[in-house]
Amino acid sequence: MPQDERDDEGAAGSLLLDDQLCFALYAAQRAVTAAYRPLLDDLGLTYPQYLVLLVLWEHGETSVKELARALRLDYGTISPLLKRLEGAGLVRRERAAGDERSVLVVCTGRAEELRERAARVPGALLATTGLDTQGVARLRAELWQLTERADTAADRHRAH
């Protein structure tokens, strides 16, 4: 049996740190976020702020509830994030006209101006990581499949 196959089979029950899928994902997430940092520093944004703006640029006016769902964040995390973006003059929060309980988030003109500069970030990240568009598409699809399976497993666990 080739060494790679023995390693993969042994990793299933291994307690070695480098054999853990969760640690490989964690390390990759930290490394990718660090690669984004200088690109986003040029825009005056943190990575979470960039993600909020991506949702707003894609969908326009969005409720806080929908924004939290899209980013997979809870209200305790999204609220201070929105407060900082509002303080920076990039978003406005306002009560929905038809439902006073719902708060809408909208980009300001300043955020819309930033959008053009931010359009360079994805390509610059590709150049930094050495990935090509097909590699990114393949990796992204695998990660979303993993996310869906893990979410399903977590939902089943919560149900019991």
Side-chain angles (χ1 to χ4, degrees):
M1 179 182 310
Q3 182 64 36
D4 288 347
E5 287 181 32
R6 273 197 314 275
D7 290 347
D8 288 347
E9 287 177 11
S14 171
L15 292 178
L16 297 175
L17 181 63
D18 286 345
D19 287 347
Q20 306 307 308
L21 174 62
C22 60
F23 185 66
L25 290 167
Y26 173 76
Q29 180 268 326
R30 289 182 49 85
V32 170
T33 300
Y36 268 103
R37 192 165 293 117
L39 303 170
L40 297 178
D41 283 349
D42 289 344
L43 301 175
L45 297 173
T46 64
Y47 181 70
Q49 291 170 338
Y50 173 68
L51 296 180
V52 168
L53 291 177
L54 287 176
V55 173
L56 295 173
W57 289 330
E58 181 180 352
H59 298 287
E61 181 180 86
T62 305
S63 72
V64 172
K65 182 179 180 177
E66 288 300 317
L67 194 54
R69 183 178 298 135
L71 295 173
R72 297 170 172 257
L73 296 173
D74 58 42
Y75 289 113
T77 302
I78 196 103
S79 291
L81 186 53
L82 293 173
K83 187 174 185 174
R84 286 190 300 274
L85 283 167
E86 197 170 30
L90 295 169
V91 302
R92 276 192 334 274
R93 289 182 286 181
E94 47 197 51
R95 296 275 173 203
D99 181 0
E100 286 293 314
R101 295 170 297 166
S102 183
V103 176
L104 300 175
V105 182
V106 62
C107 283
T108 64
R110 186 170 176 204
E112 290 300 335
E113 291 169 9
L114 201 56
R115 183 180 189 167
E116 189 175 312
R117 290 177 46 213
R120 294 186 282 265
V121 170
L125 185 72
L126 283 182
T128 299
T129 61
L131 290 169
D132 62 17
T133 54
Q134 289 93 3
V136 169
R138 195 170 38 255
L139 180 57
R140 187 176 46 239
E142 289 178 19
L143 289 170
W144 281 120
Q145 288 171 0
L146 176 60
T147 300
E148 188 175 314
R149 289 191 300 266
D151 281 348
T152 299
D155 290 345
R156 271 197 310 264
H157 182 70
R158 278 192 290 272
H160 290 108

